[in-house]
Amino acid sequence: MKAVAAALGLIALPLAAAKVSYKGYQAIHIDTADDLAHQGVAKALKGLNYVNLGCGGESDHSGFDIAVAPDSLSAFKKLGLESKIVREDIGADIDAEGDITPYVSMRKDNGSGALPDIAYFDSYHDFEGHLQFLKDLSAAFPDNSEIFSAGDSVEGRPLQGIHIWGSGGAGSKPAIIWHATVHAREWITAPTVEYMAYKLIEGYQNGDETPKATLDNYDFYIIPVVNPDGFVYTQTEDRMWRKNRQERDGARCVGTDVNRNWPHKWDVDGGSSPDPCAETYRGEEPGDTPENAALRNHTQAVGEANGIKFYVDWHSFSQLILLPYGYSCSAEADNIDQQMKLAGGVAEAIKGVNGLNFAYGPTCETIYQTAGGSNDWVFDIAGAELAWAFELRPQGGGSGGFAIPPDNIVPSGEENWAGMLNLFAAF
Ligand code: 0X9
Ligand code: ZN
């Protein structure tokens, strides 16, 4: 009965007990310029029960955070690394994310033309809910949008997106492409881009100046969950899963980092890992994940048709706007001055909403070296004018990191939408 009621969207079922419990795991910031993937610190941590949480400097983005299991805390302390506890109990943060609310067409009415209920953004949702929300969004703007799939994941799930266009008709203008949730645990990213898609359509329908002008001049392609298998896995098995769910012959570990798999500067030393057990495992060959193939082919096709004005790969967390390049700290994008100027305007607009600081700059200098990352490929190979990655709220692991309460969703959507409006007005 409860299941039936839940299926009808009447009640929220608690998230099925995750197999991995993070109860009592401490988030610890290790103060070092090294990236855990390929430096000595990883060796020191060998044998400990911990998860790599990636970059997490509160103010200068130095070092990285790990989540250490209760049974490894004393062994960790004995290592004597320069470090500090930034969060006492990740299990409690995961509990505070609340129930995964089933979403079944929360349309304001069942007639065409009505936008979905904004209450969708009050909680986190399962993969099916994300698929349905996007369909409802498209149904509210039937003459100017369509649902598409860029291709299928390893386990056969669609990389579903919404294509939205303006007065010129479908596919007639340069593209704005947004990808989110390539890293499965970065939950805030999908609802943030969905919120912005909602605002774009709402603004266009209301005749608001910037959404109207932008949509009349650009075709939007927005894919909120580009790593669906990983995302489902974070809800059923392990909240802190990052990679896709691809198995490899002879490898003991599962998963490739799809954001180290793009076939451009793919194995530049220091920007990824050849180890299938690493969180930044690049794959065996450039572009050998089904997810990357799908995203690459879609991006290439759209780029060849009308060009790409602006690409964003939405990540969390750290509050950053990252520009090309990731693969090298000495390579410089030819239009870097223009990109920096625009990013500065976006950061200021974001700050104006809820006061949050987003730092910005070339990826390699601002966060760390990344090889085979999306924005380098989209900039150099697909020829986008602007190819960025965002790291959304919070600023550090001390504020919850990947697991933040759902009342962050609307503020995250609002601040980034203000950032986007600032950018669109500057195009
Ligand atoms: O390491 C990453 O892939 C991103 N940081 S995260 O903590 N979300 O994992 C940074 C990626 C920035 N660059 C590209 N998208 N290429
Ligand atoms: Zn990420």
Side-chain angles (χ1 to χ4, degrees), residues 182-183 186 242 259 314-317 391 402:
V182 66
H183 293 142
E186 298 168 8
R242 166 182 168 99
N259 200 36
W314 297 91
H315 291 252
S316 70
F317 58 92
E391 299 284 353
F402 302 114

Side-chain angles (χ1 to χ4, degrees), residues 175-386:
I176 293 176
I177 304 175
W178 292 347
H179 295 162
T181 329
V182 66
H183 293 142
R185 62 194 176 188
E186 298 168 8
W187 281 12
I188 193 74
T189 63
T192 298
V193 299
E194 288 162 349
Y195 183 88
M196 294 192 288
Y198 181 105
K199 284 285 154 185
L200 176 67
I201 292 173
E202 185 186 60
Y204 191 90
Q205 290 177 333
N206 289 343
D208 296 349
E209 191 183 333
T210 305
K212 178 97 178 60
T214 310
L215 200 47
D216 283 340
N217 286 319
Y218 301 97
D219 279 58
F220 280 74
Y221 301 86
I222 302 172
I223 312 180
V225 185
V226 304
N227 174 12
D229 301 346
F231 180 68
V232 168
Y233 195 78
T234 63
Q235 295 195 336
T236 57
E237 305 289 336
D238 182 353
R239 175 66 187 86
M240 290 297 145
W241 188 259
R242 166 182 168 99
K243 300 185 281 183
N244 77 352
R245 293 295 304 162
Q246 191 165 2
E247 291 178 12
R248 302 275 184 177
D249 284 348
R252 149 179 85 82
C253 296
V254 173
T256 301
D257 185 347
V258 178
N259 200 36
R260 296 294 184 281
N261 191 240
W262 291 77
H264 177 54
K265 310 283 181 189
W266 171 74
D267 57 356
V268 171
D269 210 28
S272 63
S273 174
D275 174 1
C277 293
E279 295 287 15
T280 54
Y281 174 49
R282 63 170 84 112
E284 289 306 299
E285 301 287 338
D288 69 356
T289 56
E291 294 83 3
N292 179 255
L295 297 174
R296 195 171 76 229
N297 293 338
H298 178 259
T299 305
Q300 186 115 43
V302 160
E304 278 168 8
N306 296 300
I308 301 169
K309 175 73 177 180
F310 179 46
Y311 169 83
V312 183
D313 199 3
W314 297 91
H315 291 252
S316 70
F317 58 92
S318 291
Q319 293 172 200
L320 300 171
I321 306 171
L322 302 168
L323 320 178
Y325 289 106
Y327 75 89
S328 156
C329 287
S330 51
E332 195 173 83
D334 51 11
N335 63 353
I336 190 64
D337 292 346
Q338 183 214 358
Q339 297 205 52
M340 285 294 282
K341 191 163 169 274
L342 292 169
V346 173
E348 213 171 295
I350 290 175
K351 187 173 181 149
V353 180
N354 298 306
L356 300 192
N357 286 307
F358 277 60
Y360 60 95
T363 303
C364 182
E365 291 144 61
T366 309
I367 180 168
Y368 42 61
Q369 191 188 4
T370 60
S374 56
N375 46 354
D376 290 354
W377 187 94
V378 177
F379 189 70
D380 275 354
I381 308 299
E385 189 177 319
L386 310 168

Side-chain angles (χ1 to χ4, degrees), residues 10-39:
L10 301 176
I11 58 161
L13 276 186
L15 177 57
K19 284 207 176 111
V20 178
S21 165
Y22 284 95
K23 189 169 167 10
Y25 272 62
Q26 282 182 356
I28 297 178
H29 181 74
I30 301 182
D31 212 4
T32 164
D34 296 347
D35 179 345
L36 183 57
H38 42 81
Q39 303 291 343

